[in-house]
């Protein structure tokens, strides 16, 4: 480096009945927190604070060190029910949102097709996601569908300050800014939830921190909450833990395991964004580089495919024999991390686990090895073990640190072990359109479901809903679906309008 159980919901989701179609990173760990400010909680959940992710804001050039919590800001309508870095950045954020809208056809279609009825009328949604131009399009779509929303960020670095400002200017109560401290993180979530005269009846979460906070601080709120929609591996894992323990109070929709989320967001999105994140931070050439990718799930598959296509020599580590066999059949050498740790140029984690890369591994890495994470949580790389007196941290550029050993060896740590693509680059808007549409339809389904349809458990999205989301995106490619004849449909035992695959089908 020259520079420094699962339920499959049967039948139609009822979505069409609800939507009327009118037509078709200074010093390491320097995070200023106002002295004397009471910390909301450090001990509430270690796993919660481990789930921060990250990202870069291109127009955030402000050198103002004043905490947004200490500023008095109002939007043009006189409202101060928000907390962002700088409300004056709203115009720039609005332009970014307008660009994102061009690549999010399904959400824009939902807005047009819900002209008559508002399927989320009366819904009060509290959300905790990455706050980017793409999620802004989702939030404004939910508003157009009749919902009231309050929003916080699911991480401390991924917020685009100008987008948060644009949302605040439009009247959305948003509490988020890039570079929040841990105390700020929980404070923002609390400001979304603890509001006089307003109580949420739906939760949209990414990582489970919002759900966790409500369970710990305001459990009585679940009496009025109709459901939870969760999109991350980490958050879904927490929901299944709650369900297994009999502590899940409301129905929850597992968006992460929907086909349209896993196959498109996890696979195709990461196939493009892994290269973007690495190139922007390190300016490296991939050809001939030796890379080890820990985990061969959908994210790992996307990363491996992209790196292989660029001429990298790719190794894979896996615990699951099925995923391991897939890696072998795709032409990758399956290894244990210890076998290649001394020779590889890049280490990428994407397992959803913890301590995948330990201090022992870090000590054995070659000079200038790049270490990064593509999983939601910053638990995969044991970054805490690097915060010791004998190691020197040197900030190279935003989200890039050299960690230097006493003998002069250094590794390049990206985003302090947090999510690389949203820390150091961006992700493809079109793919996020697919995920965001799935989230919107899951909210509509849970909110409008008759009492008794969903019990206090975790559910998979109906197959029909996945197919509907996919169909909304096909016109972008001028794609033309073949239609079954009556005879063909009868032969296959299918409805001509779908669903076309059984729930157990693996795409």
């Amino acid at each position: 480096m020259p520079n420094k159980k699962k339920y499959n919901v049967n039948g139609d989701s009822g979505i069409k009945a609800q939507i009327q179609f009118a037509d078709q990173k200074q010093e390491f760990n320097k995070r200023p927190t106002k002295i004397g400010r009471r910390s909301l909680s450090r001990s509430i959940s270690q796993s919660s604070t481990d789930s921060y992710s990250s990202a870069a804001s291109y127009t955030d050039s402000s050198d103002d060190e004043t905490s947004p919590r200490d500023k008095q800001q109002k939007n043009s309508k006189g409202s101060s029910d928000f907390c962002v870095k700088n409300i004056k950045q709203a115009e720039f954020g609005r332009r970014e949102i307008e660009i994102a809208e061009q690549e999010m056809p399904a959400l824009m279609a939902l807005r047009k097709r819900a002209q008559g009825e508002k399927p989320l009328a009366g819904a009060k949604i509290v959300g905790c996601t990455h706050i980017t131009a793409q999620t802004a399009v989702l939030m404004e779509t939910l508003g157009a569908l009749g919902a009231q929303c309050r929003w916080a960020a699911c991480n401390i670095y991924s917020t685009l300050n100008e987008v948060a400002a644009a949302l605040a200017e439009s009247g959305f109560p948003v509490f988020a800014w890039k570079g929040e401290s841990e105390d700020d993180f929980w404070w923002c979530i609390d400001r979304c939830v603890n509001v006089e005269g307003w109580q949420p009846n739906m939760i949209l979460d990414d990582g489970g921190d919002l759900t966790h906070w409500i369970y710990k601080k305001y459990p009585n709120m679940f009496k009025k909450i109709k459901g939870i929609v969760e999109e991350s591996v980490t958050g879904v894992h927490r929901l299944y833990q709650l369900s297994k323990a009999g502590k899940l109070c409301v129905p929850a929709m597992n968006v992460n395991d929907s086909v349209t989320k896993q196959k498109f967001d996890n696979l195709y999105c990461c196939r493009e964004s892994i290269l973007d994140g690495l190139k922007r931070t390190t300016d490296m050439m991939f050809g001939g580089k030796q890379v080890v990718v820990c985990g061969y799930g959908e994210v790992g598959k996307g990363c491996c495919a992209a790196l292989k296509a660029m001429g990298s020599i790719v190794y894979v580590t896996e615990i699951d024999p099925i995923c391991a066999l897939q890696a072998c059949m795709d032409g990758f050498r399956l290894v244990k991390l210890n076998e290649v740790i001394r020779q590889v140029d890049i280490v990428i984690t994407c397992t959803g686990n913890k301590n995948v890369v330990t201090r022992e591994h870090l000590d054995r890495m070659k000079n200038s090895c790049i270490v990064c994470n593509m999983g939601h949580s910053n638990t995969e790389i044991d970054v805490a073990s690097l915060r010791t007196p004998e190691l020197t941290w040197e900030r190279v550029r935003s989200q890039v640190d050299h960690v230097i050993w006493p003998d002069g060896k250094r590794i390049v740590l990206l985003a302090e072990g947090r999510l690389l693509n949203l820390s150091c680059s961006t992700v493809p808007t079109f793919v996020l359109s697919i995920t965001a549409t799935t989230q919107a339809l899951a909210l509509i389904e849970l909110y409008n479901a008759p009492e008794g349809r969903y019990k206090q458990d975790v559910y998979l999205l109906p197959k029909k809903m996945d197919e509907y989301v996919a169909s909304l995106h096909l016109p972008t490619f001028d794609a033309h679906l073949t239609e079954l004849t009556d005879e063909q449909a009868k032969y296959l035992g299918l409805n001509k309008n779908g669903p076309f695959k059984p729930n157990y089908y693996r795409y």
Side-chain angles (χ1 to χ4, degrees), residues 31 62 111 202 227 230 367 475-476 487:
R31 294 176 187 160
S62 173
R111 293 187 193 181
M202 293 296 297
E230 172 59 57
N367 186 51
T476 301
E487 183 181 6

Side-chain angles (χ1 to χ4, degrees), residues 8 24 102 138 183 212 229 273 299 319 365:
N8 287 303
Q24 266 255 326
Q102 307 310 309
L138 169 61
D183 181 68
H212 172 82
V229 175
S273 60
V299 174
I319 62 169
M365 289 177 183

Side-chain angles (χ1 to χ4, degrees), residues 161 373 380 406 453:
N161 286 331
N373 169 48
E380 304 203 28
R453 174 180 292 180

